[in-house]
Amino acid sequence: MPGRAVVSLTTGLEDAERVTVAFLVAVGAAEQGRPTLMFLTKEAVRLALRGVATAVACAGCPPLPDLVRRYQDAGGTFLVCSVCFTAKGLDQAELIKSAEIGGTVQMWEWIGDGATTFSY
């Protein structure tokens, strides 16, 4: 089995290009069969809500809904920072599939003996 991958994302749709790049990296890892986790913090937690990840970052860029679907279809998961999510007053009932609330402890538990990491 290929090694694990973690993509940490702090930015939301205020920087749709950065979000797109992070998703492209995560999709690439997941579609290669790597267990892949996106750790969403700060404004990125909103991307785990239904109907939010809808942008197209640039001409020729894949739409975010397509990247989210591909990531989920490849078995990728989202860990949504509990502190950030709560601080923004968001509703857990609105989470997309493959997303769960957690923090750094859960991230480190998932990493276990190691993972390749990317941060955006």
Side-chain angles (χ1 to χ4, degrees):
M1 174 190 305
R4 292 173 177 256
V6 176
V7 177
S8 177
L9 179 60
T10 61
T11 303
L13 293 180
E14 70 278 8
D15 190 344
E17 285 180 299
R18 182 180 304 249
V19 170
T20 298
V21 170
F23 268 93
L24 286 168
V25 170
V27 166
E31 287 182 345
Q32 283 187 348
R34 293 179 183 275
T36 307
L37 176 76
M38 289 191 79
F39 185 46
L40 305 178
T41 62
K42 296 176 65 177
E43 280 301 309
V45 298
R46 297 179 191 280
L47 297 170
L49 298 173
R50 283 192 294 274
V52 172
T54 59
V56 177
C58 61
C61 287
L64 282 175
D66 292 351
L67 293 174
V68 171
R69 179 193 47 76
R70 286 176 57 194
Y71 180 69
Q72 291 169 321
D73 288 350
T77 58
F78 300 95
L79 182 61
V80 183
C81 173
S82 56
V83 173
C84 302
F85 195 85
T86 300
K88 293 176 182 353
L90 303 175
D91 183 357
Q92 285 190 18
E94 295 299 314
L95 288 173
I96 60 176
K97 76 173 187 169
S98 306
E100 65 180 53
I101 302 295
T104 57
V105 170
Q106 290 80 12
M107 179 187 65
W108 284 110
E109 288 172 350
W110 188 88
I111 289 173
D113 289 334
T116 301
T117 61
F118 300 86
S119 184
Y120 296 94

